[in-house]
């Protein structure tokens, strides 16, 4: 076996391995770029969900305020109905209607 044959026997597989390693590095960089892209997309989604959560929280606060206002108005209305009932009861008692 000559020196050239030895160099070819060792050099060609070594070159193939180095090319394979280089291709793997290129593929890993492409995959890493895709993951970076997905990270930015998920960040955008997280921001949008945070905005939706804020809007729902604001809506909940406004609805609570409206229901509290409505409850206060019903309390006033119930108080006026009770006063009216008391007045009618007194009038009935004075007129001896019952």
């Amino acid at each position: 076996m000559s020196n050239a044959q030895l160099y070819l026997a060792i050099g060609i597989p070594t070159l193939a391995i180095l090319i394979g390693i280089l291709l793997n590095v290129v593929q890993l960089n492409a995959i890493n770029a895709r993951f970076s892209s997905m990270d930015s997309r998920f960040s955008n989604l997280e921001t949008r969900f945070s905005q939706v959560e804020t809007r729902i929280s604001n809506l909940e606060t406004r609805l609570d305020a409206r229901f509290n206002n409505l409850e206060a108005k019903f309390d006033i209305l119930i108080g006026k109905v009770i006063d009216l009932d008391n007045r009618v009861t007194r009038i009935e008692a004075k007129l001896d209607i019952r």
Side-chain angles (χ1 to χ4, degrees):
M1 189 178 283
S2 70
N3 283 342
Q5 286 177 331
L6 179 64
Y7 293 146
L8 286 176
I10 294 174
I12 291 176
T14 304
L15 185 63
I17 289 171
L18 290 175
I19 290 173
I21 290 172
L22 180 66
L23 290 175
N24 283 339
V25 167
V26 168
Q27 273 186 329
L28 286 175
N29 283 338
I31 290 171
N32 191 20
R34 281 183 150 178
F35 278 127
S36 295
S37 167
M38 291 301 288
D39 280 344
S40 67
R41 288 172 121 183
F42 280 124
S43 294
N44 289 340
L45 270 176
E46 184 177 345
T47 302
R48 288 173 68 187
F49 277 127
S50 176
Q51 290 171 351
V52 168
E53 183 179 351
T54 302
R55 288 175 66 189
I56 288 174
S57 176
N58 291 340
L59 179 65
E60 180 184 9
T61 303
R62 288 194 328 244
L63 283 175
D64 281 345
R66 282 186 175 181
F67 279 125
N68 287 339
N69 188 18
L70 189 63
E71 186 176 331
K73 287 181 180 180
F74 272 122
D75 286 342
I76 290 170
L77 183 63
I78 289 171
K80 292 193 184 242
V81 168
I82 290 172
D83 286 343
L84 187 63
D85 183 52
N86 289 338
R87 286 180 182 179
V88 169
T89 304
R90 278 187 254 142
I91 290 171
E92 287 175 345
K94 282 185 180 182
L95 296 176
D96 202 23
I97 295 176
R98 279 197 177 188

Coordinates of all heavy atoms in Angstrom, one line a residue:
M1 N 0.8 -1.1 0.0 CA 0.0 0.0 0.0 C 0.9 1.2 0.0 O 1.8 1.4 0.8 CB -0.8 0.0 1.3 CG -1.9 1.0 1.2 SD -2.9 1.0 2.5 CE -3.9 0.6 3.2
S2 N 0.6 2.1 -0.9 CA 1.5 3.3 -1.1 C 1.0 4.4 -0.1 O -0.1 4.3 0.5 CB 1.5 3.8 -2.5 OG 0.2 4.3 -2.8
N3 N 1.8 5.5 0.0 CA 1.4 6.6 0.8 C 0.1 7.3 0.3 O -0.7 7.7 1.1 CB 2.6 7.6 0.9 CG 3.7 7.1 1.8 OD1 3.5 6.2 2.6 ND2 4.8 7.7 1.6
A4 N -0.1 7.4 -0.9 CA -1.2 8.0 -1.5 C -2.5 7.2 -1.1 O -3.5 7.8 -0.8 CB -1.1 8.2 -3.0
Q5 N -2.4 5.9 -1.2 CA -3.5 5.1 -0.9 C -3.8 5.2 0.6 O -5.0 5.3 1.0 CB -3.2 3.6 -1.2 CG -3.3 3.3 -2.7 CD -2.9 1.8 -2.9 OE1 -2.2 1.2 -2.2 NE2 -3.5 1.3 -4.0
L6 N -2.8 5.3 1.5 CA -3.0 5.5 2.9 C -3.7 6.8 3.2 O -4.6 6.9 4.0 CB -1.7 5.4 3.6 CG -1.8 5.5 5.1 CD1 -2.6 4.4 5.8 CD2 -0.4 5.6 5.7
Y7 N -3.2 7.9 2.5 CA -3.8 9.2 2.7 C -5.3 9.2 2.3 O -6.1 9.8 2.9 CB -3.0 10.2 2.0 CG -1.6 10.5 2.5 CD1 -0.5 10.8 1.7 CD2 -1.3 10.3 3.9 CE1 0.7 11.0 2.2 CE2 -0.1 10.5 4.4 CZ 1.0 10.8 3.5 OH 2.2 11.0 4.0
L8 N -5.6 8.5 1.1 CA -6.9 8.5 0.7 C -7.8 7.6 1.6 O -9.0 8.0 1.9 CB -7.0 7.9 -0.8 CG -6.5 8.8 -1.9 CD1 -6.6 8.1 -3.2 CD2 -7.4 10.1 -1.9
A9 N -7.3 6.5 2.1 CA -8.0 5.7 3.0 C -8.3 6.4 4.3 O -9.4 6.2 4.9 CB -7.2 4.4 3.3
I10 N -7.5 7.3 4.8 CA -7.7 8.0 6.0 C -8.4 9.3 5.7 O -9.3 9.7 6.4 CB -6.4 8.2 6.8 CG1 -5.8 6.9 7.2 CG2 -6.6 9.2 7.9 CD1 -4.4 7.0 7.8
G11 N -8.0 10.0 4.6 CA -8.5 11.3 4.3 C -10.0 11.4 3.9 O -10.7 12.3 4.3
I12 N -10.4 10.5 3.1 CA -11.8 10.5 2.5 C -12.8 10.3 3.7 O -13.8 11.1 3.8 CB -12.0 9.5 1.4 CG1 -11.2 10.0 0.2 CG2 -13.5 9.3 1.0 CD1 -11.2 9.1 -1.0
P13 N -12.7 9.3 4.5 CA -13.7 9.2 5.6 C -13.6 10.3 6.6 O -14.6 10.8 7.1 CB -13.3 7.9 6.3 CG -12.5 7.1 5.3 CD -11.8 8.1 4.5
T14 N -12.4 10.9 6.8 CA -12.3 12.0 7.7 C -13.0 13.2 7.1 O -13.7 14.0 7.8 CB -10.8 12.3 8.0 OG1 -10.1 11.2 8.5 CG2 -10.6 13.5 9.0
L15 N -12.8 13.4 5.8 CA -13.4 14.5 5.1 C -15.0 14.4 5.2 O -15.7 15.3 5.4 CB -12.9 14.6 3.7 CG -13.5 15.8 2.9 CD1 -13.0 17.1 3.5 CD2 -13.0 15.7 1.4
A16 N -15.4 13.1 5.0 CA -16.9 12.9 5.0 C -17.4 13.2 6.4 O -18.5 13.8 6.6 CB -17.2 11.4 4.7
I17 N -16.7 12.8 7.5 CA -17.1 13.1 8.8 C -17.2 14.6 9.1 O -18.1 15.1 9.7 CB -16.2 12.3 9.8 CG1 -16.5 10.8 9.8 CG2 -16.4 12.9 11.3 CD1 -15.5 10.0 10.6
L18 N -16.1 15.3 8.7 CA -16.1 16.7 8.9 C -17.2 17.4 8.1 O -17.9 18.4 8.6 CB -14.8 17.3 8.4 CG -13.6 17.0 9.3 CD1 -12.3 17.5 8.7 CD2 -13.7 17.5 10.7
I19 N -17.5 17.0 6.9 CA -18.7 17.5 6.2 C -20.0 17.2 6.9 O -20.9 18.1 7.0 CB -18.7 17.0 4.7 CG1 -17.5 17.6 3.9 CG2 -20.0 17.3 4.0 CD1 -17.3 17.1 2.6
G20 N -20.1 16.0 7.4 CA -21.3 15.7 8.2 C -21.5 16.5 9.4 O -22.6 17.0 9.7
I21 N -20.4 16.8 10.1 CA -20.4 17.7 11.3 C -20.8 19.1 10.9 O -21.7 19.7 11.5 CB -19.1 17.7 12.0 CG1 -18.8 16.3 12.7 CG2 -19.0 18.8 13.1 CD1 -17.4 16.2 13.3
L22 N -20.3 19.6 9.8 CA -20.6 20.9 9.3 C -22.1 21.0 9.0 O -22.8 22.0 9.3 CB -19.8 21.3 8.1 CG -20.0 22.6 7.5 CD1 -19.6 23.7 8.5 CD2 -19.3 22.8 6.2
L23 N -22.6 20.0 8.3 CA -24.1 20.0 7.9 C -24.9 19.9 9.2 O -26.0 20.6 9.2 CB -24.4 18.8 7.0 CG -23.8 19.0 5.6 CD1 -24.1 17.7 4.8 CD2 -24.4 20.2 4.9
N24 N -24.5 19.2 10.2 CA -25.3 19.1 11.4 C -25.3 20.5 12.1 O -26.3 20.9 12.7 CB -24.7 18.0 12.4 CG -25.1 16.6 11.9 OD1 -26.1 16.4 11.2 ND2 -24.3 15.7 12.4
V25 N -24.2 21.2 12.1 CA -24.1 22.5 12.8 C -25.1 23.4 12.0 O -25.8 24.2 12.6 CB -22.7 23.0 12.8 CG1 -22.6 24.5 13.1 CG2 -21.8 22.2 13.8
V26 N -25.1 23.4 10.7 CA -26.0 24.2 9.9 C -27.4 23.9 10.2 O -28.2 24.8 10.4 CB -25.7 24.1 8.4 CG1 -26.7 24.7 7.5 CG2 -24.3 24.7 8.1
Q27 N -27.8 22.6 10.3 CA -29.1 22.2 10.6 C -29.5 22.7 12.0 O -30.6 23.2 12.3 CB -29.3 20.7 10.5 CG -29.6 20.3 9.2 CD -29.9 18.8 9.2 OE1 -29.4 18.0 10.0 NE2 -30.8 18.3 8.3
L28 N -28.6 22.6 13.0 CA -28.9 23.0 14.4 C -29.1 24.5 14.4 O -30.0 25.0 15.1 CB -27.8 22.6 15.3 CG -27.8 21.1 15.7 CD1 -26.6 20.8 16.5 CD2 -29.0 20.7 16.4
N29 N -28.3 25.3 13.6 CA -28.5 26.7 13.6 C -29.9 27.1 13.0 O -30.6 28.0 13.5 CB -27.4 27.4 12.8 CG -26.1 27.5 13.6 OD1 -26.1 27.4 14.8 ND2 -25.0 27.6 12.9
A30 N -30.3 26.3 12.0 CA -31.6 26.6 11.4 C -32.7 26.3 12.4 O -33.7 27.0 12.5 CB -31.8 25.8 10.1
I31 N -32.6 25.2 13.1 CA -33.6 24.8 14.1 C -33.6 25.8 15.2 O -34.7 26.2 15.7 CB -33.3 23.4 14.6 CG1 -33.6 22.3 13.6 CG2 -34.1 23.1 15.9 CD1 -33.2 20.9 13.9
N32 N -32.5 26.3 15.6 CA -32.4 27.3 16.7 C -33.1 28.6 16.2 O -33.8 29.3 17.0 CB -30.9 27.6 17.0 CG -30.8 28.5 18.3 OD1 -31.7 28.5 19.1 ND2 -29.7 29.1 18.4
A33 N -32.9 29.0 14.9 CA -33.6 30.2 14.4 C -35.1 30.0 14.4 O -35.8 30.9 14.7 CB -33.1 30.5 13.0
R34 N -35.5 28.8 14.1 CA -37.0 28.5 14.2 C -37.5 28.7 15.6 O -38.6 29.2 15.8 CB -37.3 27.1 13.6 CG -37.3 27.1 12.1 CD -37.7 25.7 11.7 NE -38.4 25.7 10.4 CZ -38.8 24.7 9.8 NH1 -38.6 23.5 10.3 NH2 -39.4 24.8 8.6
F35 N -36.8 28.1 16.5 CA -37.2 28.2 17.9 C -37.2 29.7 18.4 O -38.1 30.1 19.1 CB -36.3 27.4 18.9 CG -36.7 25.9 18.9 CD1 -35.8 25.0 18.7 CD2 -38.0 25.6 19.2 CE1 -36.1 23.6 18.7 CE2 -38.3 24.2 19.3 CZ -37.4 23.2 19.0
S36 N -36.2 30.5 17.9 CA -36.2 31.9 18.3 C -37.5 32.6 17.7 O -38.1 33.4 18.4 CB -35.0 32.6 17.7 OG -33.9 32.0 18.4
S37 N -37.8 32.2 16.5 CA -39.0 32.7 15.9 C -40.3 32.4 16.7 O -41.2 33.2 16.9 CB -39.2 32.2 14.4 OG -40.4 32.5 13.9
M38 N -40.3 31.1 17.1 CA -41.5 30.7 17.9 C -41.5 31.4 19.3 O -42.6 31.7 19.8 CB -41.4 29.2 18.1 CG -41.6 28.4 16.9 SD -43.2 28.7 16.1 CE -44.3 27.9 17.3
D39 N -40.3 31.7 19.8 CA -40.3 32.4 21.1 C -40.9 33.8 20.9 O -41.7 34.3 21.8 CB -38.9 32.6 21.6 CG -38.3 31.3 22.3 OD1 -39.2 30.5 22.7 OD2 -37.1 31.2 22.5
S40 N -40.6 34.5 19.8 CA -41.2 35.8 19.6 C -42.7 35.7 19.4 O -43.4 36.6 19.9 CB -40.5 36.5 18.5 OG -40.8 35.9 17.2
R41 N -43.1 34.7 18.7 CA -44.6 34.5 18.5 C -45.3 34.2 19.9 O -46.4 34.8 20.1 CB -44.8 33.3 17.6 CG -44.5 33.6 16.1 CD -44.6 32.4 15.3 NE -45.5 32.6 14.3 CZ -45.9 31.6 13.4 NH1 -45.4 30.4 13.5 NH2 -46.7 31.9 12.5
F42 N -44.7 33.4 20.7 CA -45.3 33.1 22.0 C -45.3 34.4 22.9 O -46.2 34.6 23.6 CB -44.6 32.0 22.7 CG -45.0 30.6 22.2 CD1 -44.1 29.7 21.8 CD2 -46.3 30.3 22.3 CE1 -44.5 28.5 21.3 CE2 -46.7 29.0 21.8 CZ -45.8 28.1 21.4
S43 N -44.2 35.2 22.7 CA -44.2 36.5 23.5 C -45.4 37.4 23.0 O -46.0 38.0 23.9 CB -42.9 37.2 23.3 OG -41.8 36.5 23.8
N44 N -45.6 37.4 21.7 CA -46.7 38.2 21.2 C -48.1 37.7 21.7 O -48.9 38.4 22.1 CB -46.7 38.2 19.7 CG -45.6 39.0 19.1 OD1 -45.1 39.9 19.8 ND2 -45.3 38.8 17.9
L45 N -48.2 36.3 21.8 CA -49.4 35.7 22.3 C -49.6 36.0 23.8 O -50.7 36.3 24.2 CB -49.4 34.2 22.1 CG -50.0 33.7 20.8 CD1 -49.8 32.2 20.7 CD2 -51.4 34.0 20.7
E46 N -48.5 36.0 24.5 CA -48.6 36.3 25.9 C -49.0 37.7 26.2 O -49.8 38.0 27.0 CB -47.2 36.0 26.6 CG -47.2 36.2 28.1 CD -45.8 35.9 28.7 OE1 -45.0 35.3 28.0 OE2 -45.6 36.3 29.8
T47 N -48.5 38.6 25.3 CA -48.9 40.0 25.4 C -50.4 40.2 25.1 O -51.1 40.9 25.9 CB -48.1 40.9 24.5 OG1 -46.7 40.7 24.8 CG2 -48.4 42.4 24.6
R48 N -50.8 39.5 24.1 CA -52.3 39.6 23.7 C -53.1 39.0 24.8 O -54.2 39.6 25.2 CB -52.5 38.9 22.4 CG -51.9 39.7 21.2 CD -52.0 38.9 20.0 NE -53.4 38.7 19.5 CZ -53.7 38.0 18.5 NH1 -52.9 37.3 17.8 NH2 -55.0 37.9 18.2
F49 N -52.7 37.9 25.4 CA -53.5 37.3 26.5 C -53.5 38.2 27.7 O -54.5 38.3 28.4 CB -53.0 35.9 26.9 CG -53.5 34.8 26.0 CD1 -52.6 33.9 25.4 CD2 -54.9 34.6 25.8 CE1 -53.1 32.9 24.6 CE2 -55.3 33.6 25.0 CZ -54.4 32.8 24.4
S50 N -52.4 38.9 28.0 CA -52.4 39.8 29.1 C -53.3 41.0 28.9 O -54.0 41.5 29.8 CB -50.9 40.3 29.2 OG -50.9 41.3 30.2
Q51 N -53.4 41.5 27.6 CA -54.3 42.6 27.3 C -55.7 42.1 27.4 O -56.6 42.9 28.0 CB -54.1 43.0 25.9 CG -52.8 43.8 25.7 CD -52.4 44.1 24.2 OE1 -53.1 43.6 23.3 NE2 -51.4 44.9 24.0
V52 N -56.0 40.9 27.0 CA -57.4 40.4 27.2 C -57.7 40.2 28.6 O -58.8 40.6 29.1 CB -57.5 39.0 26.4 CG1 -58.8 38.3 26.8 CG2 -57.5 39.2 24.9
E53 N -56.8 39.7 29.4 CA -57.0 39.6 30.9 C -57.3 40.9 31.5 O -58.2 41.1 32.4 CB -55.8 38.9 31.5 CG -56.0 38.7 33.0 CD -54.7 38.0 33.6 OE1 -53.8 37.6 32.8 OE2 -54.7 37.9 34.8
T54 N -56.6 42.0 31.1 CA -56.8 43.3 31.6 C -58.2 43.8 31.2 O -58.9 44.4 32.1 CB -55.7 44.3 31.1 OG1 -54.4 43.8 31.5 CG2 -55.9 45.7 31.6
R55 N -58.6 43.6 30.0 CA -59.9 44.1 29.5 C -61.0 43.3 30.3 O -62.0 44.0 30.7 CB -60.0 43.8 28.0 CG -59.2 44.8 27.2 CD -59.3 44.4 25.8 NE -60.6 44.7 25.3 CZ -61.0 44.3 24.1 NH1 -60.2 43.7 23.2 NH2 -62.3 44.6 23.7
I56 N -60.8 42.0 30.6 CA -61.8 41.3 31.3 C -61.9 41.8 32.7 O -63.0 41.9 33.3 CB -61.6 39.8 31.2 CG1 -61.9 39.3 29.8 CG2 -62.4 39.0 32.3 CD1 -61.5 37.8 29.6
S57 N -60.7 42.1 33.3 CA -60.7 42.6 34.7 C -61.4 44.0 34.8 O -62.2 44.2 35.7 CB -59.2 42.7 35.2 OG -59.2 43.3 36.4
N58 N -61.1 44.8 33.8 CA -61.8 46.1 33.8 C -63.3 45.9 33.6 O -64.1 46.6 34.2 CB -61.3 47.0 32.6 CG -59.9 47.4 32.9 OD1 -59.4 47.4 34.0 ND2 -59.2 47.8 31.9
L59 N -63.7 45.0 32.8 CA -65.1 44.8 32.5 C -65.8 44.2 33.8 O -66.9 44.7 34.2 CB -65.3 43.7 31.4 CG -66.8 43.3 31.1 CD1 -67.6 44.5 30.6 CD2 -66.8 42.2 30.1
E60 N -65.1 43.4 34.5 CA -65.6 42.8 35.8 C -65.8 43.9 36.8 O -66.8 44.0 37.5 CB -64.6 41.8 36.3 CG -65.1 41.1 37.6 CD -64.0 40.2 38.2 OE1 -62.9 40.1 37.6 OE2 -64.4 39.5 39.2
T61 N -64.8 44.9 36.9 CA -64.9 46.0 37.8 C -66.1 46.9 37.5 O -66.8 47.3 38.4 CB -63.6 46.8 37.7 OG1 -62.5 46.0 38.0 CG2 -63.6 48.0 38.7
R62 N -66.3 47.2 36.2 CA -67.4 48.0 35.8 C -68.7 47.3 36.1 O -69.7 47.9 36.5 CB -67.3 48.3 34.3 CG -66.2 49.3 34.0 CD -66.3 49.9 32.6 NE -66.9 49.1 31.6 CZ -66.2 48.7 30.5 NH1 -65.0 49.0 30.4 NH2 -66.8 47.9 29.6
L63 N -68.8 46.0 35.8 CA -70.0 45.3 36.1 C -70.3 45.2 37.6 O -71.5 45.4 38.0 CB -70.0 43.9 35.6 CG -70.2 43.7 34.1 CD1 -70.0 42.3 33.6 CD2 -71.6 44.2 33.7
D64 N -69.3 45.0 38.4 CA -69.5 45.1 39.9 C -70.0 46.4 40.3 O -70.9 46.5 41.2 CB -68.2 44.8 40.6 CG -67.8 43.3 40.6 OD1 -68.7 42.5 40.3 OD2 -66.7 42.9 40.9
A65 N -69.5 47.5 39.8 CA -69.9 48.8 40.1 C -71.4 49.0 39.7 O -72.2 49.6 40.5 CB -69.1 49.9 39.5
R66 N -71.7 48.5 38.5 CA -73.1 48.7 38.1 C -74.1 47.9 39.0 O -75.2 48.3 39.3 CB -73.3 48.2 36.6 CG -72.8 49.2 35.6 CD -73.1 48.8 34.2 NE -72.7 49.8 33.3 CZ -72.9 49.7 32.0 NH1 -73.4 48.6 31.5 NH2 -72.6 50.7 31.2
F67 N -73.7 46.6 39.3 CA -74.6 45.8 40.2 C -74.7 46.4 41.5 O -75.8 46.4 42.1 CB -74.1 44.4 40.2 CG -74.5 43.5 39.1 CD1 -73.5 42.9 38.3 CD2 -75.8 43.4 38.7 CE1 -73.9 42.1 37.2 CE2 -76.1 42.6 37.6 CZ -75.2 42.0 36.9
N68 N -73.6 47.0 42.1 CA -73.7 47.6 43.4 C -74.6 48.8 43.3 O -75.4 49.1 44.2 CB -72.3 48.1 43.9 CG -71.5 46.9 44.3 OD1 -72.0 45.8 44.6 ND2 -70.2 47.1 44.3
N69 N -74.6 49.6 42.2 CA -75.4 50.8 42.0 C -76.9 50.3 41.9 O -77.8 50.9 42.5 CB -75.0 51.5 40.8 CG -75.8 52.8 40.6 OD1 -76.4 53.3 41.5 ND2 -75.8 53.3 39.4
L70 N -77.1 49.2 41.2 CA -78.5 48.7 41.0 C -79.0 48.2 42.4 O -80.2 48.4 42.7 CB -78.4 47.5 40.0 CG -79.8 47.0 39.5 CD1 -80.6 48.1 38.9 CD2 -79.6 45.8 38.6
E71 N -78.1 47.5 43.1 CA -78.5 47.0 44.4 C -78.9 48.2 45.4 O -79.9 48.1 46.1 CB -77.4 46.2 45.1 CG -77.7 45.5 46.4 CD -76.6 44.7 46.9 OE1 -75.8 44.2 46.1 OE2 -76.5 44.5 48.1
A72 N -78.2 49.3 45.3 CA -78.5 50.4 46.1 C -79.9 51.0 45.7 O -80.7 51.4 46.6 CB -77.4 51.5 46.0
K73 N -80.1 51.0 44.4 CA -81.4 51.5 43.9 C -82.6 50.6 44.4 O -83.6 51.1 44.7 CB -81.4 51.7 42.4 CG -80.5 52.9 42.0 CD -80.6 53.0 40.5 CE -79.7 54.2 40.0 NZ -79.7 54.4 38.6
F74 N -82.4 49.3 44.3 CA -83.4 48.4 44.8 C -83.6 48.6 46.3 O -84.8 48.5 46.8 CB -83.0 46.9 44.5 CG -83.5 46.5 43.2 CD1 -82.6 46.0 42.2 CD2 -84.8 46.5 42.8 CE1 -83.0 45.6 41.0 CE2 -85.2 46.1 41.6 CZ -84.3 45.6 40.7
D75 N -82.6 48.8 47.1 CA -82.7 49.0 48.5 C -83.6 50.3 48.7 O -84.5 50.3 49.6 CB -81.4 49.2 49.2 CG -80.6 47.9 49.3 OD1 -81.3 46.8 49.2 OD2 -79.4 47.9 49.6
I76 N -83.3 51.3 48.0 CA -84.1 52.6 48.1 C -85.6 52.3 47.7 O -86.5 52.7 48.4 CB -83.5 53.7 47.2 CG1 -82.2 54.1 47.8 CG2 -84.5 54.9 47.1 CD1 -81.4 55.1 46.9
L77 N -85.8 51.5 46.6 CA -87.1 51.2 46.2 C -87.9 50.4 47.2 O -89.0 50.7 47.5 CB -87.1 50.5 44.8 CG -88.4 50.2 44.2 CD1 -89.2 51.4 43.9 CD2 -88.2 49.4 42.9
I78 N -87.2 49.4 47.8 CA -87.8 48.6 48.8 C -88.2 49.4 50.0 O -89.2 49.3 50.6 CB -86.9 47.4 49.2 CG1 -86.8 46.4 48.0 CG2 -87.4 46.7 50.4 CD1 -85.8 45.3 48.2
G79 N -87.3 50.3 50.4 CA -87.6 51.2 51.5 C -88.8 52.1 51.3 O -89.6 52.3 52.1
K80 N -88.9 52.6 50.1 CA -90.1 53.4 49.7 C -91.4 52.6 49.7 O -92.4 53.1 50.2 CB -89.9 54.1 48.4 CG -88.8 55.1 48.5 CD -88.8 56.0 47.3 CE -87.6 57.0 47.4 NZ -88.0 58.3 47.4
V81 N -91.3 51.3 49.2 CA -92.5 50.5 49.3 C -92.9 50.2 50.7 O -94.1 50.2 51.0 CB -92.2 49.2 48.5 CG1 -93.3 48.1 48.7 CG2 -92.1 49.5 47.0
I82 N -91.9 49.9 51.6 CA -92.2 49.7 53.0 C -92.8 50.9 53.6 O -93.8 50.8 54.4 CB -90.9 49.2 53.7 CG1 -90.5 47.8 53.3 CG2 -91.1 49.3 55.2 CD1 -89.2 47.4 53.8
D83 N -92.3 52.1 53.3 CA -92.9 53.3 53.8 C -94.3 53.5 53.3 O -95.2 53.9 54.1 CB -92.1 54.6 53.4 CG -90.8 54.7 54.1 OD1 -90.6 54.1 55.2 OD2 -89.9 55.4 53.6
L84 N -94.6 53.2 52.1 CA -95.9 53.3 51.5 C -96.8 52.3 52.2 O -98.0 52.7 52.5 CB -95.9 53.1 50.0 CG -97.1 53.3 49.2 CD1 -97.6 54.8 49.3 CD2 -96.9 52.9 47.8
D85 N -96.4 51.1 52.4 CA -97.2 50.1 53.1 C -97.5 50.6 54.5 O -98.7 50.4 55.0 CB -96.4 48.8 53.1 CG -97.3 47.7 53.8 OD1 -98.4 47.5 53.3 OD2 -96.8 47.0 54.7
N86 N -96.5 51.2 55.2 CA -96.8 51.7 56.6 C -97.8 52.8 56.5 O -98.7 52.8 57.4 CB -95.5 52.2 57.2 CG -94.6 51.0 57.6 OD1 -95.0 49.9 57.7 ND2 -93.3 51.4 57.7
R87 N -97.8 53.6 55.6 CA -98.7 54.7 55.5 C -100.1 54.2 55.2 O -101.1 54.6 55.8 CB -98.4 55.7 54.3 CG -97.2 56.6 54.7 CD -96.9 57.5 53.5 NE -95.8 58.3 53.8 CZ -95.3 59.2 53.0 NH1 -95.8 59.4 51.8 NH2 -94.2 59.9 53.3
V88 N -100.2 53.2 54.3 CA -101.5 52.6 54.0 C -102.1 51.9 55.2 O -103.3 52.0 55.5 CB -101.5 51.7 52.8 CG1 -102.7 50.8 52.6 CG2 -101.2 52.4 51.5
T89 N -101.2 51.2 55.9 CA -101.6 50.5 57.2 C -102.2 51.5 58.2 O -103.2 51.3 58.8 CB -100.5 49.7 57.8 OG1 -99.9 48.8 56.8 CG2 -100.9 48.9 59.0
R90 N -101.5 52.6 58.4 CA -102.0 53.7 59.3 C -103.3 54.3 58.9 O -104.2 54.5 59.7 CB -100.9 54.8 59.5 CG -99.8 54.4 60.4 CD -98.9 55.6 60.7 NE -97.7 55.2 60.0 CZ -96.9 56.1 59.4 NH1 -97.2 57.4 59.3 NH2 -95.8 55.7 58.8
I91 N -103.4 54.5 57.6 CA -104.7 55.1 57.0 C -105.8 54.0 57.3 O -106.9 54.4 57.7 CB -104.6 55.4 55.5 CG1 -103.7 56.6 55.4 CG2 -105.9 55.7 54.9 CD1 -103.3 56.9 53.9
E92 N -105.5 52.8 57.0 CA -106.6 51.7 57.2 C -106.9 51.7 58.7 O -108.1 51.5 59.1 CB -106.0 50.4 56.8 CG -106.0 50.2 55.3 CD -105.4 48.9 54.8 OE1 -104.7 48.2 55.7 OE2 -105.5 48.5 53.7
A93 N -105.9 51.8 59.6 CA -106.2 51.8 61.0 C -107.1 53.0 61.4 O -108.0 52.8 62.3 CB -104.9 51.7 61.8
K94 N -106.8 54.2 60.9 CA -107.6 55.3 61.3 C -109.0 55.3 60.8 O -109.9 55.7 61.4 CB -106.9 56.6 60.7 CG -105.7 57.1 61.5 CD -105.2 58.4 61.0 CE -104.0 58.8 61.9 NZ -103.5 60.1 61.4
L95 N -109.1 54.7 59.5 CA -110.5 54.6 59.0 C -111.2 53.3 59.4 O -112.3 53.1 59.1 CB -110.4 54.7 57.4 CG -109.9 56.0 56.8 CD1 -109.8 55.8 55.3 CD2 -110.8 57.1 57.2
D96 N -110.5 52.5 60.1 CA -111.0 51.2 60.6 C -111.6 50.4 59.5 O -112.7 49.9 59.5 CB -112.1 51.5 61.7 CG -112.3 50.3 62.6 OD1 -111.4 49.5 62.7 OD2 -113.4 50.2 63.1
I97 N -110.7 50.3 58.4 CA -111.1 49.5 57.2 C -110.9 48.0 57.4 O -111.7 47.2 57.0 CB -110.4 50.1 56.0 CG1 -110.8 51.5 55.7 CG2 -110.6 49.2 54.8 CD1 -110.0 52.1 54.6
R98 N -109.9 47.7 58.1 CA -109.6 46.2 58.2 C -110.5 45.6 59.2 O -111.1 45.4 59.9 CB -108.2 46.0 58.7 CG -107.3 46.1 57.5 CD -106.0 45.5 57.8 NE -105.1 45.6 56.6 CZ -104.0 45.0 56.5 NH1 -103.5 44.4 57.5 NH2 -103.3 45.1 55.4

